[in-house]
């Protein structure tokens, strides 16, 4: 166990996501050839393999879903605009999320901020799992829960957990970080927790959307170097692994279950990788959680709409191919580009470099890395044809551009099996790629980042509650399969919250823009509605689908738009409007 704990955290080991059918640990060990396994759920496990055996990564050697995707951060008038202040002002409605836990998988939390204390000065945080810290002590954080939680395994090979009791002991000490040495260096997780769940300040100038809820926190560890290299990320890019996020959700689920509380799980992380249908391992896990009674995931729609990183292609029936123009910025290290076909269509690709060198159509194959090298430049492109990606059934063409020459590239897309001729291409999201690397004929729709395209969770887009306009970059729907995403728009422009500070426990006022802020506001509304419903004889409000329906019915809709809208979903979040609609 000690060796595996080191392996899970070590750069000398590679992480993989393995799908299983509720196999026993013994059978999984036999199938994978290692005993270093974290069981995530009844469907998925994280497996840790020595890097010298596993590398180099290749989609010929491993399945697309087994290699963890990398996710990035998606960055109180807002509460008034979303009808939350009006609800908090009504004694009959104002539960403030009491007896509900809001959980965050993000960059951590400044736990000693007054925003996360109750009126008696005790923490409202039930637990923190810091994945970045060395493992200590018993690795089974919730061993007594196994008969009740639905999990056959409650252990965690890496990171360190801090309980509510330990946090309170730290708060009563002169140096809290000596006892509970977890911090939020980036401030993103603290901001989200403050907006969603912050206590009211002494002067009443700030409070979160659900100021009486309980809080659970996972601090995600940064992605390992071998994955950053595989996806060609810049050194400064904030990136988090899919398997670590999934393990974080497992922790939150068990933490809430240990206290008998319903859970609102919030994710302000997203990626442009994947089918954009919610069929990745993380998307499937969130969909499963949303089907559990008492678990409601709330996801940010992403900030990619106006970034020119999505291309909607169309090859006409009487045409052989379509040319896609891609501008690559100076100094671009490299990037991954994904083409997703409509079922069951098939495509192939060729390339024209900025210097005029043409690579003819690469034949359709069922396996193998197609490596393309250019005579006059240093660029190397690896093309993988995955003709039926396991999660979606669609064809995926995975293109890895290494050291690409700056300038205009042409990707020639050939139709090999025509039905509609429609396909999508996505570049990586913000921080993973230069802002000047983009499609010249981009399309702003179908830009909701994964996992927010999963059907059952609630997905929040962002609007400016001062001007009334949609946030320009807010991810637009619908999903690739046509599901309504986002369902709602919430305030997400210059939303007030706690800020980042180099001083431990100091959380100065801050404002952020992005769908992560909108998801935080929405999660507080969900917690308040769930809390009220469970206290007042509405057991259906423990279900994600029911809460989503109540919020959609109460949303504000402008006569200037038709709904559902790709930008607004079913309208603007209005919690008070939801209660008024129930009264009718």
């Amino acid at each position: 166990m000690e060796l595996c704990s080191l392996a899970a955290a070590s750069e000398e080991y590679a992480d993989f996501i393995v799908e299983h059918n509720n196999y026993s640990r013994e059978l999984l060990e036999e199938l994978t050839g290692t005993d270093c396994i974290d069981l995530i759920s009844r469907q998925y496990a994280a497996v840790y393999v020595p890097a010298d055996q596993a590398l180099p990564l290749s989609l010929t050697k491993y399945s697309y879903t087994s290699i963890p995707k990398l996710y990035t951060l998606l960055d109180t008038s807002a509460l008034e605009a979303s009808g939350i202040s009006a609800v908090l002002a009504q004694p009959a409605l104002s539960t403030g999320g009491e007896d509900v836990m809001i959980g965050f998988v993000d960059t951590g939390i400044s736990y000693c901020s007054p925003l996360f204390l109750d009126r008696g000065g005790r923490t409202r945080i039930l637990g923190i799992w810091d994945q970045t810290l060395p493992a200590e002590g018993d690795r089974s954080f919730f061993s007594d829960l196994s008969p009740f939680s639905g999990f056959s395994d409650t252990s965690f090979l890496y990171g360190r957990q801090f309980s509510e009791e330990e946090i309170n002991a730290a708060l009563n000490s002169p140096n809290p970080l000596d006892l509970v040495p977890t911090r939020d260096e980036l401030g993103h997780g603290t901001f989200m927790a403050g907006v969603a769940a912050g206590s009211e300040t002494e002067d009443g100038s700030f409070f979160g959307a659900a100021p009486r809820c309980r809080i659970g926190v996972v601090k995600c560890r940064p992605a390992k170097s071998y994955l950053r290299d595989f996806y060609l990320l810049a050194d400064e890019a904030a990136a988090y692994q899919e398997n670590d996020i999934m393990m974080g959700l497992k922790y939150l689920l068990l933490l809430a279950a240990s206290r008998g509380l319903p859970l609102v799980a919030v994710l302000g992380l997203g990626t442009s990788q994947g089918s954009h249908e919610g069929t990745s391992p993380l998307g499937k896990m969130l969909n499963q959680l949303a089907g559990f009674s008492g678990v409601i995931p709330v996801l940010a729609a992403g900030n990619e709409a106006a970034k020119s990183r999505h291309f909607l292609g169309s090859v006409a029936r009487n045409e052989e191919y379509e040319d896609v123009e891609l501008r690559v910025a100076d100094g671009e290290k490299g990037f991954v580009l994904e083409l997703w076909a409509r079922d069951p269509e098939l495509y192939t690709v060729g390339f024209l470099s900025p210097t005029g060198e043409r690579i003819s159509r690469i034949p359709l194959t069922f396996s193998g890395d197609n490596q393309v090298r250019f005579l006059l430049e240093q660029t190397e492109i690896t093309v993988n044809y995955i003709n039926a990606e396991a999660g979606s059934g669609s064809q995926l063409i995975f293109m890895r551009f290494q050291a690409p020459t700056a300038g205009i590239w042409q990707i020639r897309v050939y139709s090999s099996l025509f039905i509609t001729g429609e396909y999508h291409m996505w570049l990586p999201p913000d921080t993973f790629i230069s802002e000047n690397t983009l499609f010249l004929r981009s399309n702003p729709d179908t830009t909701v980042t994964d996992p927010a395209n999963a059907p059952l969770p609630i997905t929040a887009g962002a609007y400016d509650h001062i001007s009334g306009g949609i946030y320009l970059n807010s991810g637009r729907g619908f999903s690739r399969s046509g599901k309504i995403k986002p369902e709602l728009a919430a305030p997400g422009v210059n939303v007030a919250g706690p800020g980042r500070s180099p001083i431990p426990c100091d959380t100065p006022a801050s404002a952020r823009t992005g769908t992560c802020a909108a998801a935080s506001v929405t999660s507080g509304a969900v917690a308040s509605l769930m809390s009220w419903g469970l206290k007042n004889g509405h057991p259906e409000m423990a279900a994600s689908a029911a809460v989503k329906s109540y919020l959609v019915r109460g949303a504000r809709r402008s006569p200037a738009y038709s709904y559902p809208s790709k930008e607004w979903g079913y309208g603007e979040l209005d919690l008070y409007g939801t209660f008024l609609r129930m009264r009718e």
Side-chain angles (χ1 to χ4, degrees):
M1 181 66 76
E2 189 64 30
L3 175 62
C4 287
S5 180
L6 294 173
S10 172
E11 290 281 356
E12 301 302 316
Y13 281 73
D15 303 2
F16 295 95
I17 299 172
V18 174
E19 188 167 6
H20 65 89
N21 296 311
N22 200 25
Y23 294 154
S24 67
R25 177 177 285 276
E26 291 74 18
L27 181 55
L28 267 175
E29 290 175 1
E30 181 179 343
L31 292 173
T32 59
T34 178
D35 59 354
C36 293
I37 297 172
D38 262 323
L39 290 180
I40 298 172
S41 68
R42 291 184 179 273
Q43 186 174 6
Y44 292 105
V47 175
Y48 310 104
V49 180
D52 58 1
Q53 298 176 21
L55 303 183
L57 289 181
S58 165
L59 290 182
T60 301
K61 187 176 180 182
Y62 304 106
S63 71
Y64 175 75
T65 54
S66 69
I67 301 174
K69 313 296 179 297
L70 296 187
Y71 291 73
T72 191
L73 304 172
L74 307 174
D75 264 75
T76 287
S77 55
L79 301 186
E80 294 171 3
S82 47
I84 293 172
S85 294
V87 169
L88 292 174
Q90 297 284 334
L93 305 178
S94 178
T95 65
E98 191 174 15
D99 296 328
V100 173
M101 189 185 102
I102 303 183
F104 304 87
V105 182
D106 211 276
T107 63
I109 192 168
S110 295
Y111 65 87
C112 43
S113 166
L115 291 176
F116 308 120
L117 308 181
D118 63 20
R119 295 184 180 221
R122 295 179 60 80
T123 187
R124 292 169 46 227
I125 301 171
L126 296 178
I128 302 172
W129 179 35
D130 189 332
Q131 297 180 350
T132 69
L133 294 177
E136 287 187 8
D138 184 8
R139 311 310 307 139
S140 185
F141 298 157
F142 306 100
S143 56
D144 58 325
L145 260 181
S146 186
F148 311 106
S149 64
F151 284 85
S152 58
D153 184 281
T154 59
S155 62
F156 296 78
L157 285 177
Y158 60 105
R160 185 175 169 191
Q161 183 202 212
F162 301 101
S163 67
E164 178 183 11
E165 292 74 19
E166 289 174 304
I167 296 169
N168 278 322
L171 292 173
N172 290 323
S173 72
N175 298 300
L177 290 174
D178 289 346
L179 295 180
V180 178
T182 180
R183 297 182 58 181
D184 179 9
E185 293 85 356
L186 296 181
H188 189 269
T190 300
F191 174 83
M192 290 193 67
V195 170
S199 301
E200 185 172 1
T201 56
E202 288 187 3
D203 60 4
S205 61
F206 177 84
F207 52 87
R212 291 195 288 279
C213 73
R214 304 307 298 269
I215 301 167
V217 177
V218 175
K219 178 178 179 178
C220 256
R221 61 178 177 178
K224 291 184 177 181
S225 296
Y226 81 94
L227 275 176
R228 298 177 68 92
D229 292 342
F230 178 70
Y231 292 117
L232 299 165
L233 266 58
D235 294 338
E236 65 275 11
Y240 305 92
Q241 293 180 201
E242 185 174 19
N243 56 300
D244 290 330
I245 299 169
M246 294 170 74
M247 285 295 292
L249 290 170
K250 171 185 174 179
Y251 173 80
L252 294 178
L253 187 64
L254 293 173
L255 179 63
S258 72
R259 298 303 188 95
L261 298 177
L263 168 66
V264 179
V266 192
L267 272 187
L269 300 165
T271 183
S272 293
Q273 288 184 269
S275 68
H276 288 70
E277 294 177 331
T279 57
S280 67
L282 176 57
K284 286 184 175 180
M285 183 181 185
L286 286 162
N287 225 37
Q288 289 171 345
L289 293 183
F292 294 167
S293 178
V295 182
I296 303 181
V298 178
L299 313 177
N303 308 315
E304 290 294 306
K307 301 295 181 64
S308 298
R309 298 189 187 119
H310 168 242
F311 182 86
L312 177 60
S314 180
V315 180
R317 183 179 294 275
N318 59 349
E319 294 178 346
E320 184 184 6
Y321 59 81
E322 178 180 28
D323 283 332
V324 180
E325 293 182 308
L326 171 64
R327 186 179 76 191
V328 174
D330 288 327
E332 187 71 75
K333 175 181 179 180
F335 53 87
V336 166
L337 172 63
E338 295 186 356
L339 183 153
W340 289 81
R342 272 185 174 269
D343 307 345
E345 299 186 348
L346 293 172
Y347 296 89
T348 54
V349 294
F351 303 93
L352 178 65
S353 76
T355 63
E357 186 172 352
R358 182 170 296 282
I359 302 299
S360 59
R361 182 178 191 172
I362 300 171
L364 191 64
T365 59
F366 284 91
S367 63
D369 293 336
N370 299 286
Q371 292 187 325
V372 179
R373 293 180 175 87
F374 295 81
L375 293 176
L376 301 179
E377 43 210 326
Q378 299 299 312
T379 304
E380 179 178 318
I381 303 175
T382 303
V383 177
N384 292 96
Y385 292 120
I386 302 172
N387 293 327
E389 189 271 326
S392 65
S394 302
Q395 185 198 32
L396 162 63
I397 304 179
F398 186 89
M399 293 166 270
R400 186 174 181 270
F401 284 69
Q402 191 166 4
T405 300
I408 307 299
W409 285 78
Q410 285 187 8
I411 304 168
R412 181 158 289 183
V413 180
Y414 298 85
S415 175
S416 296
L417 174 60
F418 180 90
I419 296 178
T420 68
E422 184 177 290
Y423 61 91
H424 296 265
M425 297 174 75
W426 285 279
L427 287 163
D430 253 353
T431 76
F432 284 10
I433 195 170
S434 166
E435 64 180 0
N436 294 317
T437 295
L438 46 83
F439 293 113
L440 296 187
R441 293 183 295 118
S442 62
N443 182 286
D445 297 332
T446 328
T447 49
V448 172
T449 51
D450 271 346
N453 289 290
L456 293 183
I458 298 170
T459 300
Y463 77 97
D464 187 334
H465 59 286
I466 303 299
S467 71
I470 197 73
Y471 171 48
L472 185 64
N473 291 321
S474 179
R476 299 185 187 183
F478 298 128
S479 74
R480 193 171 66 93
S481 58
K483 292 286 191 297
I484 307 303
K485 290 290 173 178
E487 290 91 358
L488 296 162
V493 176
N494 291 325
V495 174
R500 173 186 174 188
S501 172
I503 304 172
C505 304
D506 183 26
T507 50
S510 175
R512 289 184 184 239
T513 294
T515 56
C516 63
S520 297
V521 173
T522 303
S523 69
V526 168
S528 291
L529 182 59
M530 180 190 281
S531 173
W532 178 88
L534 296 179
K535 289 176 182 293
N536 288 276
H538 292 273
E540 76 277 8
M541 289 192 184
S544 182
V547 168
K548 184 190 297 188
S549 291
Y550 279 119
L551 291 176
V552 162
R553 289 169 187 162
R556 284 192 302 273
R557 285 176 273 275
S558 167
Y561 304 111
S562 59
Y563 298 92
S565 157
K566 292 181 178 181
E567 297 85 7
W568 298 89
Y570 289 101
E572 300 170 23
L573 174 69
D574 185 349
L575 182 59
Y576 192 56
T578 293
F579 281 107
L580 293 179
R581 182 67 66 180
M582 282 192 285
R583 183 179 64 180
E584 294 172 4

